[in-house]
Amino acid sequence: MGCDGGTIPKRHELVKGPRKVEKVDKNAELVARWYYCALSQEKLCRPIVACELGRLYNKDAVIEFLLDKSADKTPMEAASHIKSIKNVTELNLTDNPAWSGDKETIKGGKYDDIQSARFICPVVGLEMNGRHRFCFLRNCGCVFSERALKEVKAEVCHKCGVPFQEEDVIILNGNKEDVEVLKQRMEDRRLKSKLEKKSKKCKSAESASQQDTAEDSPGPSKAKNGKDCTTSSSGEKRQIIFTKSSADNGNSSVPRQVTKASSTATKRSIADSEEKSEAYKSIFTSHSSAKRSKEKCSNWVTHTAYYF
């Protein structure tokens, strides 16, 4: 029941054209990115951390996200690249002395000053409100404006003096191109750390195997300054002394173990050898004397037989 003269439709009501793209309020977007946590959507409060892609978080929200191991955990796109607390850096921010936000009025209302920022650049003095590009150093966490790093070129942090490289500079809340560059750097850095860990594990395994083979293989122990102390299986301490032997091939150092037990054993062995040598001498002399007496007897018998 329409078009009976009571209503006159217009063209835009009958013909539907393309929809207009809804424009996002820039001020609202800046406030959401620079004043609120990207993970919990709560207001940023110290301690404030930043990831390797330049997003701002509350440290408590990141810790809660990492501790939540439940199966029904909703995937968060803003924190999907954060695997441990080492992937974020705590920021060293400089307070703005002219900031008057978060102050309650006399009537009890709360006033939020969106125009001014809570933090500023310590070198140039620019406010960190999203209208200027800011960055932080991954080594120390100090935050500066990009203008300060370009004007005052140095290889050392302007605030704490920690040395840094170009790869350590991470832009806060950058555009799509900045995020892609930071993402590529993050992947390269993580791959490099994995390779270093693998190489360290291989080196430790090789050193352990070499130690095992050295313990299993017999051989003289290394001495320091010609003397060294070793412990035997019975718990006694033995001292190895290197002496020079006058051999035909040349002077060579031979380890000689000296202990109380070894000294007594050598004394006993010397006494036994002396006793054996005396016994051998007595046997030899008795045998020779008996032989001589037999020869004398035989000569006497023959001599007497000749006369008879």
Side-chain angles (χ1 to χ4, degrees):
M1 313 279 296
C3 297
D4 55 353
T7 59
I8 301 174
K10 295 180 180 180
R11 183 179 182 279
H12 71 274
E13 294 178 357
L14 298 174
V15 180
K16 293 182 179 181
R19 291 184 179 181
K20 294 182 179 180
V21 179
E22 295 181 358
K23 294 182 180 180
V24 181
D25 189 4
K26 291 183 179 180
N27 292 329
E29 186 180 3
L30 291 176
V31 168
R33 295 175 67 182
W34 290 92
Y35 291 87
Y36 290 88
C37 175
L39 184 61
S40 62
Q41 303 303 323
E42 296 179 357
K43 206 162 192 180
L44 288 172
C45 59
R46 288 181 172 173
I48 300 173
V49 297
C51 64
E52 294 174 299
L53 299 181
R55 295 169 184 165
L56 300 174
Y57 308 90
N58 287 329
K59 191 173 183 179
D60 298 337
V62 175
I63 293 172
E64 291 177 0
F65 171 77
L66 294 174
L67 292 176
D68 188 9
K69 303 295 183 180
S70 58
D72 56 347
K73 180 179 178 181
T74 56
M76 300 293 293
E77 185 180 356
S80 60
H81 59 284
I82 299 175
K83 305 300 180 182
S84 66
I85 197 67
K86 294 180 180 179
N87 298 140
V88 295
T89 306
E90 188 171 349
L91 300 180
N92 186 10
L93 298 164
T94 306
D95 294 327
N96 185 7
W99 184 66
S100 60
D102 288 346
K103 291 184 179 180
E104 294 183 359
T105 60
I106 300 172
K107 296 181 180 180
K110 199 171 183 180
Y111 172 71
D112 294 334
D113 190 3
I114 300 174
Q115 300 300 324
S116 63
R118 184 177 178 181
F119 309 107
I120 60 172
C121 173
V123 180
V124 184
L126 295 175
E127 294 183 351
M128 198 175 75
N129 53 9
R131 292 179 177 84
H132 308 282
R133 288 168 66 87
F134 271 73
C135 54
F136 74 96
L137 304 180
R138 197 173 59 88
N139 296 339
C140 57
C142 296
V143 180
F144 303 97
S145 62
E146 192 178 27
R147 185 188 299 179
L149 293 178
K150 287 182 178 179
E151 291 180 357
V152 186
K153 294 183 179 181
E155 297 180 354
V156 178
C157 177
H158 304 309
K159 193 171 183 180
C160 60
V162 176
F164 68 93
Q165 297 178 359
E166 186 179 357
E167 297 179 354
D168 298 328
V169 180
I170 297 177
I171 298 173
L172 292 171
N173 291 326
N175 51 25
K176 291 183 179 180
E177 295 178 358
D178 297 333
V179 172
E180 289 178 358
V181 173
L182 293 174
K183 192 173 183 180
Q184 185 65 32
R185 288 182 183 176
M186 178 185 68
E187 292 175 355
D188 296 341
R189 198 181 298 116
R190 292 185 180 181
L191 181 62
K192 186 178 179 181
S193 64
K194 285 182 180 179
L195 294 175
E196 288 179 355
K197 287 180 181 179
K198 287 183 179 180
S199 63
K200 287 181 180 178
K201 286 182 180 179
C202 293
K203 288 181 181 179
S204 61
E206 288 178 359
S207 61
S209 62
Q210 288 178 1
Q211 289 178 359
D212 294 338
T213 53
E215 290 176 358
D216 294 338
S217 61
S221 60
K222 294 181 180 179
K224 295 179 181 179
N225 297 326
K227 294 183 180 180
D228 192 4
C229 293
T230 58
T231 57
S232 60
S233 60
S234 60
E236 296 178 349
K237 287 186 177 179
R238 296 183 179 179
Q239 189 176 11
I240 299 174
I241 303 173
F242 291 93
T243 60
K244 293 183 179 180
S245 63
S246 59
D248 296 333
N249 295 329
N251 295 329
S252 61
S253 61
V254 180
R256 181 168 54 89
Q257 297 181 352
V258 180
T259 58
K260 293 180 179 179
S262 63
S263 63
T264 54
T266 52
K267 289 179 180 179
R268 290 178 182 176
S269 62
I270 292 168
D272 294 338
S273 62
E274 290 177 354
E275 290 178 358
K276 288 180 179 180
S277 62
E278 289 178 358
Y280 288 143
K281 286 179 180 179
S282 61
I283 292 168
F284 179 75
T285 53
S286 61
H287 181 70
S288 60
S289 61
K291 189 175 182 180
R292 288 175 183 175
S293 61
K294 284 181 180 180
E295 289 178 355
K296 286 181 180 181
C297 290
S298 61
N299 293 330
W300 183 76
V301 171
T302 53
H303 185 68
T304 52
Y306 176 76
Y307 283 104
F308 287 105

